[in-house]
Amino acid sequence: MARTLITGGLVVTASDEMHVDVLIDQGKVVALATPDSHGWTADRVLDATGMYVIPGGVDAHTHMEMPFGGTTASDSFETGTRAAAWGGTTTIIDFAIQSRGGSLREGFDSWLHKADGQCAVDYAFHMIMSDVNESSLKEMDTLIEGGVSSFKLFTAYPGVFLSDDGQILRAMQRAADNGGLIMTHAENGLAIDVLVEQALARGERDPRYHGEVRKALLEAEATHRVIRLSQVAGAPVYVVHVSAQEAVAELARARDEGLPVFGETCPQYLFLSTDNLAEPDFEGAKYVCSTPLRPKEHQAALWRGLRTNDLQVVSTDHCPFCFKGQKDMGIGDFSRIPNGLPGVENRMDLLHQAVVDGHVSRTRWIDIACAAPAKMFGLYPQKGTIAPGADADIVIYDPEAEQVMSAKTHHMNVDYSAYEGKPVKGRVRTVLSRGVPVIEAGRYVGHAGHGTYLPRGLSQFP
Ligand code: URP
Ligand code: ZN
Ligand code: ZN
């Protein structure tokens, strides 16, 4: 395997910015040193002058090929991980799903099979528990031994994924014993279903009503509930795709009390709003996801939460459905629009734009996009940093490049971009995955099957 030297760049990690060269051998970072202090030779030298040298992104929330609402997310593991690489993400953590009446192991095996030999970058799995019972609770222990150490439970989607409070408490109690991390989709799904029915009866059928019935208060209520259930169980909890300022306030209050409570938000909540859901001619369907987009005013609380560490991670919740042929299942009934947005390719760039806009610092960019998700889900320091011994998952990033986001140029297998026409500063130039080039000077040189399954350890709570 080629010994590689990256010279002349600014290495940015979650904790440091250093003008150092990076030596890579056997797929690992071997050493960092100032350019005038070493005499390293290598088979391949990558000149990063004027560039940032950053860890590959860790996207801890994706749904490749996810069956949902009578259709399937349009990115396969092959197309989705290729797009991830284009966007500077070198690790994804996707969600295997336990079907109702099925075991966790069956769900896990089925997702391992879907991903096997397909991925351009490394991948791991969380487990969605849709059937919490004696047997699936016991199975959590064996899944943890197999490298699946986090479990998503839903207070939403009655009849599909929803677990009741007793089931959630039991799973949290088990996690308190076995070290697993419970992730929650926190919205009051039973109350939302009542509001959906009433809205449809009033003839409110457009995509924008998706945002109106999935009220911020119902996100906050469920967030409060799962936090208190976790407190009773004596277990940590990680709340996924936080979008409402009231939910951030619940997390902040609990953290001020010293509870091990963690939160993730997503670029769509930071950059998009209910204005997008209200776009005419059914275009709003492109922005239907749950939790839903919120009025713009909520964004300040999310950015603040990321700065104060009340929110630790930005993941994409990448779950793409094509506008034509998938989203249009909900024409005339917003509740039939498949929930989810594309974004795995856009996250690192959008968060760099957040640096340019002054929302977060450069090191915080790397923390929320690389280091914190790796720590949260037991992959650090193998992933998420540039340090001796770490996997050489490295992005050479041009901070001065300008690009305009568009479905015409993206690589995700979906017929629209949620950020169509958005100009951003910064662009990925080169991506290494375990030292192997995947993107080289703006060209894809990777291949399906390079990415390997990553068994994870227990959370290292950042
Ligand atoms: O709308 C979303 N978020 N779709 C994906 C499934 C989920 O709840 O994360
Ligand atoms: Zn969810
Ligand atoms: Zn999701």
Side-chain angles (χ1 to χ4, degrees):
M1 193 180 275
R3 193 170 137 106
T4 304
L5 177 61
I6 305 177
T7 60
L10 177 69
V11 172
V12 185
T13 68
S15 55
D16 296 295
E17 300 188 341
M18 310 162 276
H19 283 283
V20 289
D21 294 350
V22 182
L23 185 64
I24 295 162
D25 202 7
Q26 302 298 318
K28 300 268 184 197
V29 175
V30 176
L32 288 75
T34 49
D36 51 5
S37 69
H38 68 78
W40 295 334
T41 55
D43 308 307
R44 184 197 301 129
V45 178
L46 301 174
D47 181 4
T49 306
M51 308 274 165
Y52 298 157
V53 178
I54 60 174
V58 177
D59 190 340
H61 189 154
T62 67
H63 301 280
M64 308 304 172
E65 309 181 26
M66 182 195 188
F68 190 94
T71 186
T72 303
S74 58
D75 258 321
S76 64
F77 279 92
E78 181 180 359
T79 62
T81 55
R82 194 192 310 146
W86 273 106
T89 286
T90 51
T91 302
I92 63 158
I93 313 181
D94 206 89
F95 288 82
I97 303 181
Q98 175 202 21
S99 51
R100 290 231 156 145
S103 68
L104 300 190
R105 185 72 229 186
E106 283 162 354
F108 178 40
D109 284 346
S110 154
W111 257 260
L112 273 177
H113 180 68
K114 288 183 208 221
D116 188 33
Q118 302 300 311
C119 293
V121 295
D122 290 350
Y123 58 97
F125 290 107
H126 312 284
M127 188 80 220
I128 286 180
M129 293 181 75
S130 357
D131 202 349
V132 177
N133 55 44
E134 257 326 275
S135 143
S136 59
L137 285 166
K138 282 204 191 93
E139 269 194 290
M140 288 170 73
D141 303 3
T142 45
L143 253 84
I144 290 173
E145 284 159 23
V148 179
S149 55
S150 42
F151 304 86
K152 182 177 177 190
L153 289 117
F154 291 71
T155 62
Y157 304 129
V160 186
F161 291 129
L162 182 137
S163 295
D164 66 30
D165 292 354
Q167 290 172 312
I168 293 173
L169 181 66
R170 282 186 198 280
M172 286 173 165
Q173 287 171 330
R174 194 86 192 187
D177 284 344
N178 63 24
L181 177 59
I182 300 298
M183 313 165 78
T184 56
H185 175 135
E187 290 184 287
N188 187 326
L190 291 166
I192 287 168
D193 273 8
V194 171
L195 299 181
V196 169
E197 195 186 302
Q198 293 169 344
L200 291 173
R202 284 193 298 271
E204 295 169 352
R205 297 182 163 265
D206 292 344
R208 71 188 158 102
Y209 295 107
H210 173 83
E212 294 195 7
V213 297
R214 303 188 85 94
K215 293 190 180 299
L217 275 181
L218 295 177
E219 183 188 342
E221 182 277 324
T223 303
H224 177 84
R225 188 159 26 111
V226 298
I227 288 171
R228 296 309 161 191
L229 288 171
S230 76
Q231 187 177 11
V232 168
V237 66
Y238 175 93
V239 184
V240 300
H241 49 52
V242 174
S243 66
Q245 59 189 356
E246 294 87 343
V248 181
E250 293 291 346
L251 289 164
R253 174 140 52 100
R255 289 178 61 80
D256 287 347
E257 291 170 22
L259 295 174
V261 167
F262 305 93
E264 155 201 284
T265 191
C266 311
Q268 52 269 35
Y269 307 121
L270 296 163
F271 290 93
L272 304 172
S273 74
T274 44
D275 293 353
N276 300 98
L277 268 176
E279 286 177 16
D281 302 327
F282 195 64
E283 291 274 318
K286 293 177 175 173
Y287 308 96
V288 165
C289 59
S290 296
T291 59
L293 302 185
R294 302 293 180 195
K296 270 201 180 73
E297 299 75 69
H298 290 250
Q299 291 172 358
L302 297 174
W303 287 121
R304 194 177 325 110
L306 287 170
R307 284 191 297 273
T308 59
N309 204 37
D310 287 318
L311 297 171
Q312 295 76 30
V313 172
V314 177
S315 309
T316 57
D317 195 5
H318 176 79
C319 190
F321 297 101
C322 288
F323 186 56
K324 290 203 167 47
Q326 293 192 291
K327 290 284 188 181
D328 54 12
M329 291 162 72
I331 292 177
D333 179 351
F334 69 85
S335 71
R336 293 186 186 278
I337 301 168
N339 286 202
L341 254 64
V344 74
E345 188 172 349
N346 305 130
R347 182 184 67 127
M348 296 299 284
D349 288 331
L350 287 166
L351 292 177
H352 179 257
Q353 184 61 39
V355 174
V356 173
D357 294 343
H359 291 298
V360 290
S361 68
R362 255 186 325 224
T363 50
R364 188 64 180 154
W365 168 42
I366 301 307
D367 200 7
I368 60 184
C370 310
K375 289 176 187 166
M376 189 71 74
F377 296 109
L379 287 171
Y380 194 86
Q382 181 185 357
K383 304 293 186 187
T385 194
I386 300 177
D391 281 358
D393 287 11
I394 295 183
V395 174
I396 301 181
Y397 195 82
D398 181 351
E400 297 302 328
E402 307 207 341
Q403 58 168 316
V404 177
M405 292 185 164
S406 174
K408 292 194 190 79
T409 48
H410 75 201
H411 304 85
M412 297 176 285
N413 184 37
V414 61
D415 62 359
Y416 74 95
S417 169
Y419 306 97
E420 188 66 39
K422 183 174 178 57
V424 292
K425 209 162 173 211
R427 165 162 235 146
V428 167
R429 289 295 177 209
T430 296
V431 177
L432 305 180
S433 164
R434 284 177 277 107
V436 176
V438 182
I439 305 290
E440 203 163 43
R443 269 181 332 118
Y444 179 72
V445 294
H447 65 92
H450 165 79
T452 58
Y453 170 66
L454 296 166
R456 295 182 291 116
L458 298 181
S459 176
Q460 303 146 287
F461 305 116

